[in-house]
Amino acid sequence: MAGLLKTEAVVLRSMRYGEADRILQLYTPNRGRLSAIAKGVRRARSRFGGRLEPFFRLRIELHEGRGELLTVTGAQTVDGHRALRGDARALDAAARACDAVGRLFETSEPHPGVFNLLCRKLALLDESPAQATRASALAFRLKLLLAAGIAPQLGACACCGEPEHLIGFSGAAGGVVCSSCEAGAFPLHEPAHTFMTEALRRPLNEAPTGEERVLGQVERAVSEMLEHHAHIRLMPATARRAKRSDPATQERPQALRESIA
Ligand SMILES: [Zn+2]
């Protein structure tokens, strides 16, 4: 089904290819994740300018041949998120958000809600780089779980349905568990439970906050859901702080480095 595809898209990743080309990983509202080659884009006079970079929101034209790789034939900027680009923490948060979307929604199945969520996340980071917190990264991941149909059960024990005495969380069971079903669960305290409920209920820009200890439990719950129900393991929600003596200990997975390059 060769032809022209016009769509909005967010650039999730951009990898150098050959002498002057780039391979892009794009997220679109109606075609999910797709890959495209942009030819000659690294030449100084490329008609695409600098807009085929990660975190750009574009109106893009793609030629679709028989292969999986589409070819970029035109691109207009909807939002380049310029402020976000000037802040290291916001840039890192944007890279982690794009990585999470690309890994959890890797097929061409349409999820327009996920596209909108990602656009909102990038817009928020652009509006205020101070939004690059662990709490807001976890609220975003919880909303991705919901969109993927694997939100944790929080209203009652995921094993037996008991609505009271919910003291633990089990990724295998798919949510909070009561004191009779806690085998294989880890302790989840009330503030972490409340954080998850609120993060799922409220819009992204009103995400709840919490102490590090609370966020640690939330992150573990989110990671267990991803591992048990989507079989993926994401990088941590935020970068570990580098030890002052050795800045090189700050981990940056290869994918992230390439993506920002
Ligand atoms: Zn139970």
CSV table of all heavy atoms in Angstrom, one decimal, residues 217-244:
chain,number,residue,atom,x,y,z
A,217,GLN,N,8.1,3.5,46.7
A,217,GLN,CA,7.1,2.4,46.7
A,217,GLN,C,6.2,2.5,45.4
A,217,GLN,O,5.9,1.5,44.8
A,217,GLN,CB,6.2,2.6,47.9
A,217,GLN,CG,6.9,2.2,49.2
A,217,GLN,CD,5.9,2.3,50.4
A,217,GLN,OE1,4.8,2.7,50.3
A,217,GLN,NE2,6.4,1.9,51.6
A,218,VAL,N,5.9,3.7,45.0
A,218,VAL,CA,5.1,3.9,43.7
A,218,VAL,C,5.9,3.4,42.5
A,218,VAL,O,5.4,2.7,41.7
A,218,VAL,CB,4.7,5.4,43.5
A,218,VAL,CG1,4.1,5.6,42.2
A,218,VAL,CG2,3.8,5.8,44.6
A,219,GLU,N,7.2,3.8,42.5
A,219,GLU,CA,8.0,3.3,41.4
A,219,GLU,C,8.2,1.8,41.3
A,219,GLU,O,8.1,1.2,40.2
A,219,GLU,CB,9.4,4.0,41.4
A,219,GLU,CG,10.3,3.6,40.2
A,219,GLU,CD,11.3,4.7,39.8
A,219,GLU,OE1,11.4,5.7,40.4
A,219,GLU,OE2,11.9,4.4,38.7
A,220,ARG,N,8.3,1.2,42.5
A,220,ARG,CA,8.4,-0.2,42.5
A,220,ARG,C,7.1,-0.9,42.0
A,220,ARG,O,7.1,-1.9,41.2
A,220,ARG,CB,8.7,-0.7,43.9
A,220,ARG,CG,8.8,-2.2,44.0
A,220,ARG,CD,9.5,-2.6,45.3
A,220,ARG,NE,9.5,-4.1,45.4
A,220,ARG,CZ,9.8,-4.8,46.4
A,220,ARG,NH1,10.1,-4.2,47.6
A,220,ARG,NH2,9.8,-6.1,46.4
A,221,ALA,N,5.9,-0.3,42.4
A,221,ALA,CA,4.6,-0.8,42.0
A,221,ALA,C,4.5,-0.7,40.5
A,221,ALA,O,4.1,-1.6,39.8
A,221,ALA,CB,3.5,-0.1,42.7
A,222,VAL,N,4.9,0.5,39.9
A,222,VAL,CA,4.8,0.7,38.5
A,222,VAL,C,5.7,-0.3,37.7
A,222,VAL,O,5.3,-0.9,36.7
A,222,VAL,CB,5.1,2.2,38.1
A,222,VAL,CG1,5.3,2.4,36.6
A,222,VAL,CG2,4.1,3.1,38.7
A,223,SER,N,6.9,-0.4,38.2
A,223,SER,CA,7.9,-1.3,37.6
A,223,SER,C,7.4,-2.8,37.6
A,223,SER,O,7.5,-3.5,36.6
A,223,SER,CB,9.2,-1.3,38.3
A,223,SER,OG,9.7,0.0,38.3
A,224,GLU,N,6.8,-3.2,38.7
A,224,GLU,CA,6.3,-4.6,38.7
A,224,GLU,C,5.1,-4.8,37.8
A,224,GLU,O,5.0,-5.8,37.1
A,224,GLU,CB,5.8,-4.9,40.2
A,224,GLU,CG,7.0,-5.2,41.1
A,224,GLU,CD,6.6,-6.0,42.3
A,224,GLU,OE1,5.4,-6.4,42.4
A,224,GLU,OE2,7.5,-6.2,43.2
A,225,MET,N,4.2,-3.8,37.6
A,225,MET,CA,3.1,-3.9,36.7
A,225,MET,C,3.7,-4.0,35.2
A,225,MET,O,3.2,-4.8,34.5
A,225,MET,CB,2.2,-2.6,36.7
A,225,MET,CG,1.4,-2.5,38.0
A,225,MET,SD,0.3,-4.0,38.3
A,225,MET,CE,-0.9,-3.9,37.0
A,226,LEU,N,4.7,-3.2,34.9
A,226,LEU,CA,5.3,-3.3,33.6
A,226,LEU,C,6.0,-4.6,33.3
A,226,LEU,O,5.9,-5.2,32.3
A,226,LEU,CB,6.3,-2.1,33.4
A,226,LEU,CG,5.8,-0.7,33.3
A,226,LEU,CD1,6.9,0.3,33.5
A,226,LEU,CD2,5.1,-0.6,31.9
A,227,GLU,N,6.7,-5.1,34.3
A,227,GLU,CA,7.4,-6.4,34.2
A,227,GLU,C,6.4,-7.5,34.0
A,227,GLU,O,6.6,-8.4,33.1
A,227,GLU,CB,8.3,-6.6,35.3
A,227,GLU,CG,9.7,-5.9,35.1
A,227,GLU,CD,10.6,-6.1,36.3
A,227,GLU,OE1,10.6,-7.2,36.9
A,227,GLU,OE2,11.2,-5.1,36.7
A,228,HIS,N,5.4,-7.6,34.9
A,228,HIS,CA,4.5,-8.7,34.9
A,228,HIS,C,3.5,-8.7,33.7
A,228,HIS,O,3.1,-9.7,33.2
A,228,HIS,CB,3.7,-8.8,36.2
A,228,HIS,CG,4.5,-9.4,37.3
A,228,HIS,ND1,4.7,-10.7,37.5
A,228,HIS,CD2,5.3,-8.8,38.3
A,228,HIS,CE1,5.4,-11.0,38.5
A,228,HIS,NE2,5.8,-9.8,39.0
A,229,HIS,N,3.0,-7.5,33.3
A,229,HIS,CA,1.9,-7.4,32.4
A,229,HIS,C,2.3,-6.9,31.0
A,229,HIS,O,1.5,-7.0,30.1
A,229,HIS,CB,0.8,-6.6,33.0
A,229,HIS,CG,0.4,-7.2,34.4
A,229,HIS,ND1,-0.3,-8.4,34.5
A,229,HIS,CD2,0.7,-6.8,35.6
A,229,HIS,CE1,-0.5,-8.6,35.8
A,229,HIS,NE2,0.1,-7.7,36.5
A,230,ALA,N,3.5,-6.3,30.9
A,230,ALA,CA,3.9,-5.8,29.6
A,230,ALA,C,5.3,-6.4,29.2
A,230,ALA,O,5.8,-6.2,28.1
A,230,ALA,CB,4.0,-4.3,29.5
A,231,HIS,N,5.9,-7.1,30.2
A,231,HIS,CA,7.2,-7.7,30.0
A,231,HIS,C,8.3,-6.7,29.5
A,231,HIS,O,9.1,-7.1,28.7
A,231,HIS,CB,7.1,-8.9,29.0
A,231,HIS,CG,6.0,-9.8,29.4
A,231,HIS,ND1,6.0,-10.6,30.5
A,231,HIS,CD2,4.7,-10.0,28.8
A,231,HIS,CE1,4.8,-11.3,30.6
A,231,HIS,NE2,4.1,-10.9,29.6
A,232,ILE,N,8.2,-5.5,30.1
A,232,ILE,CA,9.3,-4.6,29.8
A,232,ILE,C,9.9,-4.0,31.1
A,232,ILE,O,9.2,-4.0,32.1
A,232,ILE,CB,8.9,-3.4,28.9
A,232,ILE,CG1,7.8,-2.6,29.4
A,232,ILE,CG2,8.5,-4.0,27.5
A,232,ILE,CD1,7.5,-1.3,28.7
A,233,ARG,N,11.1,-3.6,31.0
A,233,ARG,CA,11.7,-2.9,32.2
A,233,ARG,C,12.2,-1.6,31.7
A,233,ARG,O,13.1,-1.6,30.8
A,233,ARG,CB,12.9,-3.8,32.6
A,233,ARG,CG,13.5,-3.4,33.9
A,233,ARG,CD,14.6,-4.3,34.4
A,233,ARG,NE,14.0,-5.6,34.8
A,233,ARG,CZ,14.6,-6.4,35.7
A,233,ARG,NH1,15.8,-6.1,36.2
A,233,ARG,NH2,14.1,-7.5,36.1
A,234,LEU,N,11.7,-0.5,32.2
A,234,LEU,CA,12.1,0.8,31.8
A,234,LEU,C,13.3,1.3,32.6
A,234,LEU,O,13.5,0.8,33.7
A,234,LEU,CB,11.0,1.8,31.9
A,234,LEU,CG,9.7,1.6,31.1
A,234,LEU,CD1,8.7,2.6,31.4
A,234,LEU,CD2,10.0,1.5,29.6
A,235,MET,N,14.0,2.3,32.1
A,235,MET,CA,15.0,2.9,32.9
A,235,MET,C,14.3,3.6,34.1
A,235,MET,O,13.1,3.9,34.0
A,235,MET,CB,15.9,3.9,32.1
A,235,MET,CG,15.1,5.0,31.4
A,235,MET,SD,16.3,6.0,30.5
A,235,MET,CE,15.9,5.7,28.8
A,236,PRO,N,15.1,3.9,35.2
A,236,PRO,CA,14.4,4.6,36.3
A,236,PRO,C,13.6,5.8,35.9
A,236,PRO,O,14.0,6.5,34.9
A,236,PRO,CB,15.6,5.0,37.2
A,236,PRO,CG,16.7,4.0,36.9
A,236,PRO,CD,16.5,3.7,35.4
A,237,ALA,N,12.6,6.2,36.7
A,237,ALA,CA,11.8,7.4,36.3
A,237,ALA,C,12.6,8.7,36.2
A,237,ALA,O,12.2,9.5,35.4
A,237,ALA,CB,10.6,7.5,37.3
A,238,THR,N,13.6,8.8,37.0
A,238,THR,CA,14.5,10.0,36.9
A,238,THR,C,15.9,9.5,37.1
A,238,THR,O,16.2,8.4,37.6
A,238,THR,CB,14.2,11.0,38.1
A,238,THR,OG1,14.1,10.3,39.3
A,238,THR,CG2,12.9,11.8,37.8
A,239,ALA,N,16.8,10.4,36.6
A,239,ALA,CA,18.3,10.0,36.7
A,239,ALA,C,18.7,9.9,38.1
A,239,ALA,O,18.2,10.7,39.0
A,239,ALA,CB,19.1,11.1,36.0
A,240,ARG,N,19.6,9.0,38.4
A,240,ARG,CA,20.2,9.0,39.8
A,240,ARG,C,21.2,10.1,39.8
A,240,ARG,O,21.8,10.4,38.9
A,240,ARG,CB,20.9,7.6,40.0
A,240,ARG,CG,20.0,6.5,40.3
A,240,ARG,CD,20.7,5.3,40.6
A,240,ARG,NE,19.9,4.2,40.1
A,240,ARG,CZ,20.2,3.3,39.2
A,240,ARG,NH1,21.3,3.4,38.6
A,240,ARG,NH2,19.3,2.4,38.8
A,241,ARG,N,21.2,10.7,41.0
A,241,ARG,CA,22.1,11.9,41.1
A,241,ARG,C,23.5,11.4,41.1
A,241,ARG,O,23.9,10.4,41.8
A,241,ARG,CB,21.8,12.6,42.4
A,241,ARG,CG,21.2,14.0,42.1
A,241,ARG,CD,20.7,14.7,43.4
A,241,ARG,NE,19.3,14.6,43.5
A,241,ARG,CZ,18.6,14.7,44.6
A,241,ARG,NH1,19.2,14.6,45.7
A,241,ARG,NH2,17.3,14.7,44.6
A,242,ALA,N,24.4,12.0,40.4
A,242,ALA,CA,25.8,11.6,40.3
A,242,ALA,C,26.5,12.0,41.6
A,242,ALA,O,26.2,13.0,42.2
A,242,ALA,CB,26.5,12.3,39.1
A,243,LYS,N,27.4,11.1,42.0
A,243,LYS,CA,28.2,11.5,43.2
A,243,LYS,C,29.1,12.6,42.8
A,243,LYS,O,29.6,12.7,41.7
A,243,LYS,CB,29.1,10.3,43.6
A,243,LYS,CG,28.3,9.2,44.3
A,243,LYS,CD,29.2,8.0,44.6
A,243,LYS,CE,28.3,6.8,44.9
A,243,LYS,NZ,28.9,5.6,44.4
A,244,ARG,N,29.3,13.6,43.7
A,244,ARG,CA,30.0,14.8,43.4
A,244,ARG,C,31.4,14.5,42.9
A,244,ARG,O,32.0,15.2,42.1
A,244,ARG,CB,29.9,15.8,44.5
A,244,ARG,CG,29.5,17.2,44.1
A,244,ARG,CD,29.4,18.1,45.3
A,244,ARG,NE,28.3,17.7,46.2
A,244,ARG,CZ,28.2,18.1,47.4
A,244,ARG,NH1,29.0,18.9,47.9
A,244,ARG,NH2,27.2,17.7,48.2
